Amino acid sequence: MKASLTVILDTINDHPDLPHLSRSDYYTLQKVGKDTKNEKLMNRIRELFEEHHARYGYRRITLQLKREGVVVNHKKIQRLITIMSLVVLHNRKRAKYSSYQGTIGVIKKNKIKQSFHSEHPDQK
C-alpha cells in the first residue's frame, strides 16, 4: 500500500522526538543521493582531468567522452566537476594589445624644405 506524502509528513511531525520536516525539505532530501549513480562517470571525468593536467574543462571533457561513445549532457559534466571540486588551470597569458607597428618604410626629413626657425616671436 502506498501512503501519500501528507500522511508521511504528518506522521513524522506528530512525533516530538523527530525533527520537523516540511514538504520542501522532503523533496530536497530526495535529491541528496542524486549523483551516487554517476560514480563510474565521475571516475572517468577525474581520469581525463588528471590525464590532461587540469587543463580540460567541461567542454573538452564532454567532447572526449562523446568520442569514447558516452552520450552525456554538458550540463551534467559541469555539475559533476563542480561537485568534485575540480578547478581548471589557465596558464596561458593573453598578449596585451598593441597597435604600434614599428617603423615601416623610410622616414624622410624635411621633405618640402620648410623652415620652422624664427628670430623673433610671431614671425611664422
Side-chain angles (χ1 to χ4, degrees):
M1 186 170 125
K2 196 172 186 180
S4 69
L5 179 61
T6 311
V7 172
I8 294 171
L9 290 176
D10 288 341
T11 308
I12 291 172
N13 293 331
D14 286 343
H15 285 83
D17 299 336
L18 298 175
H20 179 76
L21 187 65
S22 66
R23 183 176 289 267
S24 62
D25 289 339
Y26 174 80
Y27 285 113
T28 304
L29 289 173
Q30 297 297 317
K31 293 181 180 180
V32 169
K34 180 180 177 182
D35 292 318
T36 55
K37 59 186 173 189
N38 296 318
E39 287 295 324
K40 188 176 177 184
L41 180 62
M42 290 170 77
N43 290 335
R44 183 61 188 138
I45 290 171
R46 188 177 303 278
E47 286 173 12
L48 283 171
F49 190 79
E50 291 171 357
E51 180 182 327
H52 295 284
H53 307 289
R55 287 185 177 80
Y56 266 24
Y58 77 94
R59 290 183 183 100
R60 288 171 125 181
I61 288 176
T62 305
L63 288 174
Q64 183 62 34
L65 288 172
K66 284 185 181 180
R67 281 187 213 116
E68 295 173 3
V70 180
V71 179
V72 64
N73 192 329
H74 65 97
K75 295 177 202 172
K76 184 175 194 174
I77 300 293
Q78 191 173 19
R79 186 181 78 245
L80 293 176
I81 285 175
T82 305
I83 289 170
M84 293 187 290
S85 303
L86 301 177
V87 180
V88 179
L89 298 175
H90 297 285
N91 281 346
R92 286 186 280 158
K93 286 188 176 180
R94 268 186 192 254
K96 186 177 176 184
Y97 176 74
S98 174
S99 62
Y100 178 69
Q101 303 256 333
T103 54
I104 299 174
V106 180
I107 299 173
K108 298 181 181 178
K109 295 185 179 181
N110 207 353
K111 188 175 181 182
I112 321 173
K113 303 288 184 197
Q114 292 178 334
S115 172
F116 292 104
H117 180 68
S118 64
E119 309 265 332
H120 305 288
D122 297 329
Q123 282 186 342
K124 308 243 176 183

